Amino acid sequence: MIEIIFKIACLAAGILLGLTALDKLDGESDFFNNIAKKLMPFTTIIGGGILGLGIYYLLHFDHLIFNILAMAAGVLLLTHVLSQIPKIGDTLVKISKTLMPFKVIVGIALFVLTILRFLSIHPLG
């Protein structure tokens, strides 16, 4: 059950982060824009969820690259909250700023890999 929640959260994060590229795919229907508008209020919850579950699954050494990508997406979605975390907040903000130029790439990669995981296809092991 937790894995399904993780996959859904990763799919949502992929849409939020990769919106600029996904918007070009749907043309004038604004399909991804409409989904992103509905997901925006939950950005912090989605980011925290995939960061936490990414760490959890990373500790089990299951699908290493996917979990690292999910954790990167979580950090990108939590940029506005990270500075408030005591002791490690500044480090997490630096990581987030370093990842920011790759935001769309992380989002699209997470979106595609999550769809493949829903189909039980694991191209990266």
Side-chain angles (χ1 to χ4, degrees), residues 58-113:
L58 186 67
L59 295 174
H60 289 91
F61 299 104
D62 187 31
H63 306 290
L64 184 68
I65 294 173
F66 180 78
N67 292 324
I68 291 171
L69 195 62
M71 290 172 16
V75 168
L76 284 167
L77 288 174
L78 291 173
T79 302
H80 61 286
V81 180
L82 295 176
S83 62
Q84 300 171 2
I85 300 173
K87 302 206 184 215
I88 62 167
D90 293 335
T91 305
L92 292 174
V93 169
K94 287 179 187 175
I95 292 170
S96 178
K97 287 181 180 178
T98 303
L99 290 172
M100 200 55 74
F102 307 104
K103 177 178 144 178
V104 175
I105 295 169
V106 169
I108 295 298
L110 189 62
F111 181 76
V112 170
L113 289 176

Side-chain angles (χ1 to χ4, degrees), residues 6-125:
F6 182 49
K7 288 178 186 176
I8 292 169
C10 285
L11 196 62
I15 290 170
L16 287 170
L17 293 173
L19 184 61
T20 55
L22 291 171
D23 186 39
K24 294 176 184 174
L25 292 176
D26 66 3
E28 300 202 13
S29 69
D30 284 338
F31 176 75
F32 290 111
N33 279 328
N34 292 333
I35 292 174
K37 285 177 189 173
K38 289 181 171 86
L39 292 174
M40 282 295 184
F42 306 104
T43 301
T44 304
I45 295 168
I46 293 167
I50 64 171
L51 180 59
L53 289 172
I55 292 170
Y56 171 77
Y57 284 118
L58 186 67
L59 295 174
H60 289 91
F61 299 104
D62 187 31
H63 306 290
L64 184 68
I65 294 173
F66 180 78
N67 292 324
I68 291 171
L69 195 62
M71 290 172 16
V75 168
L76 284 167
L77 288 174
L78 291 173
T79 302
H80 61 286
V81 180
L82 295 176
S83 62
Q84 300 171 2
I85 300 173
K87 302 206 184 215
I88 62 167
D90 293 335
T91 305
L92 292 174
V93 169
K94 287 179 187 175
I95 292 170
S96 178
K97 287 181 180 178
T98 303
L99 290 172
M100 200 55 74
F102 307 104
K103 177 178 144 178
V104 175
I105 295 169
V106 169
I108 295 298
L110 189 62
F111 181 76
V112 170
L113 289 176
T114 304
I115 290 173
L116 292 174
R117 285 192 76 184
F118 268 116
L119 299 172
S120 296
I121 301 170
H122 305 285
L124 302 175

